[in-house]
Amino acid sequence: MTESKVARSSLRDPSLAPEGHLKLDWAGRHMPVLNEIRAEFEAGRPLAGRRLAMCLHLEAKTAYLATVFLAGGAEVVVCGSNPLSTQDDVCAALAERGVTVHAWHNATPEEYREHLNRVLDTRPDLILDDGADLVTALHTQRRDQLGEIIGGSEETTTGVLRLKAMADEGALAFPMFAVNDAYMKHLFDNRYGTGQSAWDGIMRTTNLTVAGKTAVVAGYGWCGKGLAMRARGLGARVVVTEVDPIAANEALMEGFEVMPMVRAAARADFIVTATGCEGVVRAEHYEVMKDGCVLANAGHFDVELSRPDLERAAGRPRRVRKNVDEYRFPDGRRVYLLAEGRLVNLAAGDGHPAEIMDLAFAVQALAQQHLVERAWKLPRTVLPVPREIDLRVAELRLRALGVSIDRLTPEQEAYLRSWRPE
Ligand code: ADE
């Protein structure tokens, strides 16, 4: 069976599988919550007879999640959600474990689209997306398949925004769980995951110090909060830029400086974007940057640091290190763009730590099970993940850590339910 999955897959190099198996085993050993769910899936096979299409960053933790769905009885077919985050050894190992894989590192835009289409050619009934690419392709080019889809789940902030825009227009044809919005996802993954993994990507790629330098963080959502907090921990002076006055106040109360990008860019040694919006750093900002400024993006799409503006001002870049492009302006200043402005933690690193992805992917696994159990009964819109799932993941995590907490006494429960004055 596994041999035919390898044959059916589109892989860069199947001989890389041994290295990939080691990575999957390492990730799996550090995902205790998902392992509990895996054991339940093996026993109950809740996804038997279902075909799940996944479009995710194909690194070890994601691959491990795909094997959990296999354990639950699903047929699983995957493609990457970003050409630079796909790891070829992981893909080769995953195909050997019984998942059909259509992805390779550094796929061209045409190859990327082809992989997505090959996944959808299998006519899935469940979708797991990271950035809403599968859902968008289904609603734009493959409308004949829409009626076959029970529903899906979306991993990331940007994807949820896209889905909500579709739902607002009444265009979403099946229910989609906003996994990103679950507490056990965004409070941990977006904050501690992005905070650690983006700086890890930046530091391993540049081999430069952060301490004593000025780090500008664009966007003070959950990802920006994590980036700013970790930059401070690394010894940087942190400046936050925002468009939302409430978030700007939050950043001020945390003790960060807040100012417009045009002033922040002139001071920056590092600029890291995490806004979900395009053109956050653009021509007027490149004009004022200091020589040596390092530019990295931690948002889903490569649109936050404008590359067209950079190339208009500085011409074609020179690759000076793996994942580092040097742009030289006519006045001699140089700036360094990491990972072509794509997600720096995944394109120039291994993504979030395994213990963090454990939580997000536990939510994913339970959301997919919920979809199957409620098949065809859920409304065709963007749905919050049920609170029981959040609580279940939180409890499993505490149990895995050996941490116990208090319970309300019956008197306390009655007190919290009462409202009449004594
Ligand atoms: N690993 C797998 N998916 C990821 C994501 N969306 N962000 C960071 N690391 C990941």
PDB file of all heavy atoms in Angstrom, residues 57 59 61-62 130 155 189 345-346 350-352 357 361, ligand 1:
ATOM      1  N   HIS A  57       1.974  23.723   5.573  1.00  0.00           N
ATOM      2  CA  HIS A  57       3.436  23.799   5.494  1.00  0.00           C
ATOM      3  C   HIS A  57       3.981  22.398   5.740  1.00  0.00           C
ATOM      4  O   HIS A  57       3.837  21.858   6.847  1.00  0.00           O
ATOM      5  CB  HIS A  57       3.968  24.760   6.547  1.00  0.00           C
ATOM      6  CG  HIS A  57       3.482  26.159   6.332  1.00  0.00           C
ATOM      7  ND1 HIS A  57       3.905  26.935   5.288  1.00  0.00           N
ATOM      8  CD2 HIS A  57       2.578  26.909   7.011  1.00  0.00           C
ATOM      9  CE1 HIS A  57       3.301  28.103   5.328  1.00  0.00           C
ATOM     10  NE2 HIS A  57       2.492  28.108   6.362  1.00  0.00           N
ATOM     11  N   GLU A  59       6.254  20.386   6.847  1.00  0.00           N
ATOM     12  CA  GLU A  59       7.419  20.062   7.681  1.00  0.00           C
ATOM     13  C   GLU A  59       6.987  18.977   8.666  1.00  0.00           C
ATOM     14  O   GLU A  59       5.853  18.500   8.603  1.00  0.00           O
ATOM     15  CB  GLU A  59       7.990  21.332   8.324  1.00  0.00           C
ATOM     16  CG  GLU A  59       6.994  22.251   8.964  1.00  0.00           C
ATOM     17  CD  GLU A  59       6.600  21.780  10.330  1.00  0.00           C
ATOM     18  OE1 GLU A  59       7.468  21.307  11.070  1.00  0.00           O
ATOM     19  OE2 GLU A  59       5.407  21.877  10.666  1.00  0.00           O
ATOM     20  N   LYS A  61       6.027  18.453  11.827  1.00  0.00           N
ATOM     21  CA  LYS A  61       4.849  18.390  12.694  1.00  0.00           C
ATOM     22  C   LYS A  61       3.577  18.194  11.860  1.00  0.00           C
ATOM     23  O   LYS A  61       2.694  17.437  12.236  1.00  0.00           O
ATOM     24  CB  LYS A  61       4.706  19.682  13.524  1.00  0.00           C
ATOM     25  CG  LYS A  61       5.659  19.781  14.686  1.00  0.00           C
ATOM     26  CD  LYS A  61       6.952  20.439  14.316  1.00  0.00           C
ATOM     27  CE  LYS A  61       6.821  21.919  14.083  1.00  0.00           C
ATOM     28  NZ  LYS A  61       8.091  22.533  13.636  1.00  0.00           N
ATOM     29  N   THR A  62       3.517  18.886  10.737  1.00  0.00           N
ATOM     30  CA  THR A  62       2.349  18.758   9.864  1.00  0.00           C
ATOM     31  C   THR A  62       2.241  17.337   9.337  1.00  0.00           C
ATOM     32  O   THR A  62       1.153  16.767   9.238  1.00  0.00           O
ATOM     33  CB  THR A  62       2.502  19.693   8.651  1.00  0.00           C
ATOM     34  OG1 THR A  62       3.107  20.883   9.086  1.00  0.00           O
ATOM     35  CG2 THR A  62       1.199  19.956   8.005  1.00  0.00           C
ATOM     36  N   ASP A 130      -4.357  25.891   5.117  1.00  0.00           N
ATOM     37  CA  ASP A 130      -3.550  26.872   5.845  1.00  0.00           C
ATOM     38  C   ASP A 130      -3.327  28.033   4.881  1.00  0.00           C
ATOM     39  O   ASP A 130      -2.379  28.037   4.107  1.00  0.00           O
ATOM     40  CB  ASP A 130      -2.220  26.229   6.271  1.00  0.00           C
ATOM     41  CG  ASP A 130      -1.396  27.156   7.158  1.00  0.00           C
ATOM     42  OD1 ASP A 130      -1.560  28.387   7.071  1.00  0.00           O
ATOM     43  OD2 ASP A 130      -0.570  26.645   7.930  1.00  0.00           O
ATOM     44  N   GLU A 155      -6.301  26.860   9.336  1.00  0.00           N
ATOM     45  CA  GLU A 155      -5.261  26.973  10.348  1.00  0.00           C
ATOM     46  C   GLU A 155      -4.884  28.405  10.736  1.00  0.00           C
ATOM     47  O   GLU A 155      -4.567  28.689  11.880  1.00  0.00           O
ATOM     48  CB  GLU A 155      -4.009  26.254   9.793  1.00  0.00           C
ATOM     49  CG  GLU A 155      -2.728  26.382  10.579  1.00  0.00           C
ATOM     50  CD  GLU A 155      -2.694  25.533  11.848  1.00  0.00           C
ATOM     51  OE1 GLU A 155      -3.619  24.740  12.063  1.00  0.00           O
ATOM     52  OE2 GLU A 155      -1.743  25.684  12.626  1.00  0.00           O
ATOM     53  N   ASP A 189       0.167  29.350  19.652  1.00  0.00           N
ATOM     54  CA  ASP A 189       0.836  29.255  18.352  1.00  0.00           C
ATOM     55  C   ASP A 189       1.231  30.641  17.850  1.00  0.00           C
ATOM     56  O   ASP A 189       2.390  30.908  17.528  1.00  0.00           O
ATOM     57  CB  ASP A 189      -0.166  28.562  17.426  1.00  0.00           C
ATOM     58  CG  ASP A 189       0.240  28.438  15.986  1.00  0.00           C
ATOM     59  OD1 ASP A 189       0.525  29.476  15.368  1.00  0.00           O
ATOM     60  OD2 ASP A 189       0.245  27.327  15.473  1.00  0.00           O
ATOM     61  N   ASN A 345       9.822  32.075   9.514  1.00  0.00           N
ATOM     62  CA  ASN A 345       9.989  30.947  10.451  1.00  0.00           C
ATOM     63  C   ASN A 345       9.934  29.604   9.743  1.00  0.00           C
ATOM     64  O   ASN A 345      10.541  28.637  10.203  1.00  0.00           O
ATOM     65  CB  ASN A 345       8.950  31.018  11.583  1.00  0.00           C
ATOM     66  CG  ASN A 345       7.533  31.097  11.072  1.00  0.00           C
ATOM     67  OD1 ASN A 345       7.305  31.394   9.905  1.00  0.00           O
ATOM     68  ND2 ASN A 345       6.572  30.819  11.922  1.00  0.00           N
ATOM     69  N   LEU A 346       9.233  29.556   8.625  1.00  0.00           N
ATOM     70  CA  LEU A 346       9.105  28.286   7.909  1.00  0.00           C
ATOM     71  C   LEU A 346      10.011  28.230   6.696  1.00  0.00           C
ATOM     72  O   LEU A 346      10.551  27.178   6.366  1.00  0.00           O
ATOM     73  CB  LEU A 346       7.651  28.076   7.497  1.00  0.00           C
ATOM     74  CG  LEU A 346       6.778  27.592   8.654  1.00  0.00           C
ATOM     75  CD1 LEU A 346       5.373  28.111   8.545  1.00  0.00           C
ATOM     76  CD2 LEU A 346       6.795  26.071   8.723  1.00  0.00           C
ATOM     77  N   ASP A 350      12.313  25.789  10.803  1.00  0.00           N
ATOM     78  CA  ASP A 350      11.461  24.589  10.844  1.00  0.00           C
ATOM     79  C   ASP A 350      10.056  24.892  11.331  1.00  0.00           C
ATOM     80  O   ASP A 350       9.330  23.971  11.718  1.00  0.00           O
ATOM     81  CB  ASP A 350      12.086  23.540  11.779  1.00  0.00           C
ATOM     82  CG  ASP A 350      13.329  22.911  11.154  1.00  0.00           C
ATOM     83  OD1 ASP A 350      13.278  22.599   9.945  1.00  0.00           O
ATOM     84  OD2 ASP A 350      14.336  22.752  11.854  1.00  0.00           O
ATOM     85  N   GLY A 351       9.673  26.161  11.399  1.00  0.00           N
ATOM     86  CA  GLY A 351       8.336  26.503  11.881  1.00  0.00           C
ATOM     87  C   GLY A 351       8.297  26.509  13.397  1.00  0.00           C
ATOM     88  O   GLY A 351       9.320  26.458  14.082  1.00  0.00           O
ATOM     89  N   HIS A 352       7.074  26.551  13.912  1.00  0.00           N
ATOM     90  CA  HIS A 352       6.898  26.620  15.374  1.00  0.00           C
ATOM     91  C   HIS A 352       7.427  25.356  16.046  1.00  0.00           C
ATOM     92  O   HIS A 352       7.419  24.281  15.449  1.00  0.00           O
ATOM     93  CB  HIS A 352       5.417  26.735  15.724  1.00  0.00           C
ATOM     94  CG  HIS A 352       4.763  27.983  15.236  1.00  0.00           C
ATOM     95  ND1 HIS A 352       5.456  29.089  14.815  1.00  0.00           N
ATOM     96  CD2 HIS A 352       3.451  28.292  15.119  1.00  0.00           C
ATOM     97  CE1 HIS A 352       4.593  30.019  14.468  1.00  0.00           C
ATOM     98  NE2 HIS A 352       3.379  29.571  14.625  1.00  0.00           N
ATOM     99  N   MET A 357       2.886  23.309  18.119  1.00  0.00           N
ATOM    100  CA  MET A 357       2.037  22.763  17.053  1.00  0.00           C
ATOM    101  C   MET A 357       1.172  21.629  17.589  1.00  0.00           C
ATOM    102  O   MET A 357       0.108  21.331  17.049  1.00  0.00           O
ATOM    103  CB  MET A 357       2.890  22.275  15.868  1.00  0.00           C
ATOM    104  CG  MET A 357       3.635  23.374  15.119  1.00  0.00           C
ATOM    105  SD  MET A 357       2.671  24.858  14.726  1.00  0.00           S
ATOM    106  CE  MET A 357       1.502  24.248  13.528  1.00  0.00           C
ATOM    107  N   PHE A 361      -2.582  21.461  16.359  1.00  0.00           N
ATOM    108  CA  PHE A 361      -2.955  20.292  15.556  1.00  0.00           C
ATOM    109  C   PHE A 361      -3.902  19.365  16.314  1.00  0.00           C
ATOM    110  O   PHE A 361      -4.682  18.628  15.700  1.00  0.00           O
ATOM    111  CB  PHE A 361      -1.703  19.568  15.074  1.00  0.00           C
ATOM    112  CG  PHE A 361      -0.998  20.316  13.951  1.00  0.00           C
ATOM    113  CD1 PHE A 361       0.265  19.923  13.521  1.00  0.00           C
ATOM    114  CD2 PHE A 361      -1.596  21.387  13.310  1.00  0.00           C
ATOM    115  CE1 PHE A 361       0.908  20.600  12.486  1.00  0.00           C
ATOM    116  CE2 PHE A 361      -0.972  22.074  12.277  1.00  0.00           C
ATOM    117  CZ  PHE A 361       0.290  21.669  11.861  1.00  0.00           C
TER     118      PHE A 361
HETATM  119  N1  ADE B   1       4.374  24.321  11.134  1.00  0.00           N
HETATM  120  C1  ADE B   1       3.356  23.836  10.436  1.00  0.00           C
HETATM  121  N2  ADE B   1       2.441  24.763  10.161  1.00  0.00           N
HETATM  122  C2  ADE B   1       2.901  25.894  10.716  1.00  0.00           C
HETATM  123  C3  ADE B   1       2.417  27.218  10.781  1.00  0.00           C
HETATM  124  N3  ADE B   1       1.254  27.563  10.229  1.00  0.00           N
HETATM  125  N4  ADE B   1       3.170  28.138  11.401  1.00  0.00           N
HETATM  126  C4  ADE B   1       4.350  27.776  11.942  1.00  0.00           C
HETATM  127  N5  ADE B   1       4.850  26.569  11.945  1.00  0.00           N
HETATM  128  C5  ADE B   1       4.140  25.620  11.337  1.00  0.00           C
END
